[in-house]
Amino acid sequence: PVRARSPRRLDLAGIPAVASLLRWPPLLFILRLPLVALFAGVIFAGLLGAPSPGRNVATIIVWTVWWAALPFLALVFGKAWCAVCPWQTLADWAQRLRFWGGADRPVTFGLAVPSWARTLWPAILLLLGFTWLELGWDFTRSPRATAYLALAMLFLSLYLGLVFSRAAFCRYGCLVGAITGIYAT
């Protein structure tokens, strides 16, 4: 019988020089800052811009560009989005009260995530809720709803980051991270 060969994967983090560069805090800050600025721009455009989805940069960037590009980005870069995600970036900055480096005493209660929530189910439930909003309420055609959804995800990330330890939102609740993880495999 002929054996199928497993595809070769390129693990950039396995190259010591690249791994060191990827862990260098100023580089992460340089990569994250434009995405945080774009995220803020999406929120402001969604709340204050034109109400028409075709004329508002919030709906165009989020639903036409980013959401459509996400599977292809995950295919090429794996879960690299998670390293520069503006939701977790802002939660990290709030938790550490600084842009990079560890904090002597991070602002968090540091509680353990309950065992029932340490599964993929919270992210799946968020994805189902998001799908219901998209199909039932047509959220993707409303710039204001897009901004509110971005703010809700930010609030959830901040709240979970301040209450629980170890990036609880990213690990158990982020529907984008769960989706990119599925695409990356």
Side-chain angles (χ1 to χ4, degrees), residues 17 25 31 34 52 62 65 75 77 86 105 117-118 121 123-124 129 136 171 178:
L31 293 173
S52 169
V62 172
V65 177
L75 210 68
F77 298 107
R105 290 181 33 175
R118 283 187 243 145
W121 282 108
I124 290 170
R171 295 179 76 194

Side-chain angles (χ1 to χ4, degrees), residues 15-100:
I15 303 169
V18 175
S20 174
L21 183 65
L22 292 174
R23 284 191 302 270
W24 188 48
L27 176 66
L28 283 177
F29 177 75
I30 290 167
L31 293 173
R32 289 174 173 170
L33 190 60
L35 288 173
V36 168
L38 181 64
F39 178 71
V42 163
I43 290 171
F44 284 119
L47 294 175
L48 306 173
S52 169
R55 294 179 175 218
N56 192 301
V57 71
T59 51
I60 293 169
I61 287 175
V62 172
W63 306 119
T64 306
V65 177
W66 177 69
W67 196 249
L70 195 59
F72 301 105
L73 293 172
L75 210 68
V76 175
F77 298 107
K79 288 189 68 162
W81 167 258
C82 295
V84 295
C85 168
W87 295 308
Q88 187 58 36
T89 296
L90 291 168
D92 285 345
W93 291 350
Q95 197 174 20
R96 290 190 317 245
L97 299 176
R98 58 174 76 166
F99 294 123
W100 64 67

